[in-house]
Amino acid sequence: MESGMVSVDGWTAGSQVYFLTHLHADHLSGLTSKWSRGPLYCSRITARLFPIKFPGFDLSLLHIVEIGQWHSVSLLSPSSGSSTTVSFMAIDAQHCPGAVMYLFRGEFGCTLYTGDFRWESTSERAQTGRTMLLKALKDVQLDLLYLDNTYCNPTYCFPSREVAARQVLSIISSHPNHDVVIAVDTLGKENLLLYISRVLKTKIWVWPERLQTMHLLGFHDIFTTKTSVTRIRAVPRYSFNIETLEGLNTMRPTIGIMPSGLPWVPKAFRGMEKLSLESPPLLLHNRWHTGVTTSSTSSKTNGGSLISGRHDHYIYTVPYSDHSCFPELQKFVEFVKPINIKGIVSSSACNVDPLYHFGGICRIQQASELLCQRLRIKRSEKVGVIDMKSSFGCTSTMQLGRKKRKRQISRAAIHVSRVRLLRRERQGVKIVDTDPD
DNA sequence: GCGATCAGCT
DNA sequence: CACAGCTGATCGC
C-alpha cells in the first residue's frame, strides 16, 4: 500500500511514514540496515526481533505501535499541502510473532490493512481481535480493506492450527522410534513447536539463529541446538526435501513433516487441480478432512504415475497454516463489511481476487451506504469520510515480464563461496550440511 | 572487491 | 499455483 503519506510493507521513496506488519522477507523487500527514508512503525515484538534482520539499523527511527491503542501522527496532505492527522491502531494478525494488521483513519477515510493474517474464529486471540475491531469500527464505515488473499479461493479450506497441531502430534506418536524433522521458516509456527514440546515433554532442536529468535521471543529451555538430546528437529524449509530425507534415512529412520496451507500435491495431480478451481478436487478436500496423509514431491517423471512409492514413507503434509483459509476470509469480510477490497498478494492467477469472491458483500455494503448518503444529504448533513478515501491511493508494485538473462561463467568460484559464507554468517546455515567447503 | 539486487527455483 | 526464502549471477560503486 502506497500513498503520498503512508506506506505499509512498501519501502520505496515518497511516503512520510512507513509501517511494517511483520518480519517475513517478502514484506521487507527494499528495506535495509541503512534505512533513512523516515519513521518506521511496527509492533513491540517486531521491534525486538528487528536487529536480527537489520543489524546496525538506526533504532531511533523505529516507533512501536501498541496493540489495541489509537496512535496518531501529523502529516502533510499531498492534495492540499496542509497538515492533516492520521490515526492508526495495530491489531494482532495471528500470523507470526509480532505480526499485526493496521487500521488507519484520516482524511482519506478508514482503511484496514491486514498484512498476512489468520482469522480463526474459535481461538481466544481472535476473540480479542474481534472485540478491538468491533470497538474501533463501531461508528465508522470501513472504506477499504487490504486483504491477505493468499488463500482467497474456495479451494483452500483447512482446519484450525489447533486441529492441525494435533495431527502433527499423532504422526509423531505413531512413529515412536523415528527421528522427526519439521520444516519451518525463520519466523512462525512457534506455537506448533511449543505444543509438541509440551505434550511430548521433549526439547526441540533448532538451528543456532532460530534459537536466538526463540530466546528473544522469551522461549527458554524448550529449544536446543544439541542434536543428541532430542529426536525432533525443526529445520529450515529450504533444506527440507526428498533428497535430504532420504539421506537422513541412510543414518536413522526419519520422517519429515511439512506444515503448510499449500497442498503439497504430487505433480501428477496438479493438472487436475488447475482444471477445477471452482469446484475443488475431492481428493484434496478428503486428504485434509480425513486427517493426515503422506505425500510425495516432484517425481521427476512428469505427469506419469501417481504417487511414486518410497517417498510416501518419509514426508507428511499437514495443513498447518499461518494464513486464513477461504471460509475464514469470508467470515472476516462479512465482519468488517468493507466498501472496497484489494488483495495484498499480487498474483498472476485471477482466482484469488477478493472482489471476485467477496464483491457481493461489498456491493450490498455500497448499496446500503449509498442509501445512507442519500438520507444524510436529504437531512442536509455533511457527507462522511468515505468521500475522501481516494487520496489514500495504491500503486501496484507487481512486476511483469521476467527478463531472461544469459548465464555466463565470468567470476571465480571463490567469490561465490565467500558470498555464501557471508550469507550463512548473517542468516543461518543449511541443516543437513555435510560440506564444510 | 564489496554490497545490492535480480532471476530462478522449490 | 508458490506459503517464504535460498542461491547464484550480475551490476554499480
Side-chain angles (χ1 to χ4, degrees):
Chain A
M1 181 169 64
E2 316 274 348
S3 80
M5 295 194 286
V6 175
S7 285
V8 184
D9 293 348
W11 311 104
T12 50
S15 284
Q16 296 167 59
V17 284
Y18 293 81
F19 288 80
L20 171 62
T21 59
H22 67 290
L23 278 173
H24 279 158
D26 55 335
H27 294 252
L28 301 171
S29 171
L31 185 57
T32 68
S33 291
K34 291 167 185 161
W35 175 258
S36 61
R37 290 204 168 116
L40 194 164
Y41 290 85
C42 66
S43 70
R44 185 169 289 281
I45 293 173
T46 295
R48 192 184 302 151
L49 298 172
F50 205 84
I52 298 184
K53 291 268 181 184
F54 302 105
F57 191 95
D58 178 4
L59 293 176
S60 71
L61 291 170
L62 225 52
H63 296 255
I64 289 167
V65 186
E66 297 294 350
I67 287 170
Q69 290 178 19
W70 280 109
H71 298 64
S72 64
V73 63
S74 189
L75 302 175
L76 283 178
S77 169
S79 47
S80 67
S82 58
S83 179
T84 182
T85 298
V86 175
S87 303
F88 52 93
M89 176 189 280
I91 294 143
D92 186 359
Q94 303 173 65
H95 176 65
C96 67
V100 288
M101 341 185 202
Y102 290 109
L103 181 63
F104 296 96
R105 288 188 69 176
E107 64 174 29
F108 45 79
C110 184
T111 296
L112 177 61
Y113 191 99
T114 66
D116 291 352
F117 84 122
R118 178 101 202 230
W119 189 251
E120 285 163 330
S121 49
T122 50
S123 81
E124 208 170 293
R125 282 173 74 188
Q127 208 52 50
T128 311
R130 178 187 301 273
T131 309
M132 275 180 201
L133 272 176
L134 203 62
K135 195 178 159 195
L137 293 171
K138 187 160 55 89
D139 35 40
V140 67
Q141 168 71 53
L142 183 61
D143 298 300
L144 180 55
L145 171 67
Y146 286 90
L147 184 71
D148 174 10
N149 57 324
T150 305
Y151 295 127
C152 189
N153 184 290
T155 314
Y156 298 118
C157 181
F158 37 75
S160 70
R161 285 173 288 195
E162 196 186 323
V163 169
R166 280 201 290 269
Q167 292 181 5
V168 171
L169 200 68
S170 95
I171 294 168
I172 297 174
S173 300
S174 63
H175 295 83
N177 299 313
H178 279 69
D179 278 8
V180 179
V181 292
I182 305 170
V184 296
D185 289 312
T186 53
L187 197 60
K189 306 202 163 77
E190 288 75 13
N191 286 338
L192 171 64
L193 302 179
L194 291 173
Y195 175 71
I196 293 166
S197 171
R198 189 173 70 243
V199 176
L200 297 180
K201 295 183 177 57
T202 177
K203 290 194 175 188
I204 293 177
W205 183 94
V206 291
W207 62 103
E209 291 73 17
R210 198 60 158 98
L211 185 69
Q212 190 193 356
T213 302
M214 295 302 196
H215 286 166
L216 283 172
L217 291 171
F219 307 132
H220 301 281
D221 309 319
I222 296 166
F223 300 97
T224 178
T225 51
K226 285 183 201 156
T227 43
S228 58
V229 301
T230 177
R231 69 184 179 102
I232 297 170
R233 308 200 290 280
V235 304
R237 201 176 51 188
Y238 66 84
S239 75
F240 182 96
N241 55 45
I242 290 292
E243 284 70 33
T244 48
L245 219 48
E246 281 176 346
L248 288 169
N249 269 279
T250 63
M251 323 284 285
R252 302 167 58 82
T254 305
I255 57 163
I257 295 173
M258 171 67 93
S260 170
L262 261 187
W264 233 43
V265 194
K267 268 189 180 163
F269 292 144
R270 292 186 187 186
M272 292 167 57
E273 208 186 342
K274 240 184 185 170
L275 285 172
S276 52
L277 280 170
E278 286 307 312
S279 54
L282 261 176
L283 181 73
L284 266 180
H285 265 290
N286 285 341
R287 285 154 54 88
W288 281 347
H289 289 296
T290 53
V292 297
T293 48
T294 58
S295 157
S296 80
T297 49
S298 52
S299 68
K300 272 152 195 166
T301 53
N302 235 350
S305 61
L306 298 179
I307 305 164
S308 44
R310 291 192 57 197
H311 303 335
D312 283 326
H313 303 303
Y314 297 134
I315 293 190
Y316 291 78
T317 301
V318 180
Y320 189 102
S321 170
D322 284 329
H323 294 268
S324 300
C325 63
F326 185 79
E328 288 167 353
L329 291 176
Q330 187 160 18
K331 276 180 194 161
F332 185 76
V333 172
E334 282 164 2
F335 177 65
V336 296
K337 300 185 194 68
I339 285 179
N340 196 10
I341 313 179
K342 288 177 181 175
I344 64 169
V345 181
S346 63
S347 170
S348 55
C350 57
N351 60 314
V352 292
D353 179 8
L355 271 181
Y356 176 78
H357 298 288
F358 303 134
I361 299 169
C362 295
R363 277 194 291 277
I364 292 164
Q365 208 37 50
Q366 280 168 329
S368 69
E369 180 62 26
L370 272 172
L371 199 68
C372 288
Q373 274 186 52
R374 284 195 201 120
L375 284 171
R376 282 196 212 117
I377 291 162
K378 264 186 187 171
R379 287 182 288 174
S380 305
E381 285 178 9
K382 62 181 173 189
V383 180
V385 289
I386 57 153
D387 291 332
M388 308 291 290
K389 72 174 186 298
S390 55
S391 65
F392 210 81
C394 169
T395 59
S396 168
T397 53
M398 187 157 70
Q399 303 207 331
L400 298 168
R402 283 185 175 178
K403 275 175 269 177
K404 278 194 180 176
R405 246 187 263 177
K406 204 163 57 174
R407 291 195 178 199
Q408 290 174 354
I409 306 159
S410 57
R411 300 282 171 120
I414 198 159
H415 169 73
V416 173
S417 179
R418 190 187 54 81
V419 169
R420 191 170 67 196
L421 281 171
L422 279 168
R423 277 183 185 153
R424 281 186 190 182
E425 213 171 284
R426 277 203 309 270
Q427 297 165 355
V429 294
K430 243 182 193 169
I431 287 327
V432 206
D433 222 354
T434 47
D435 59 317
D437 289 334

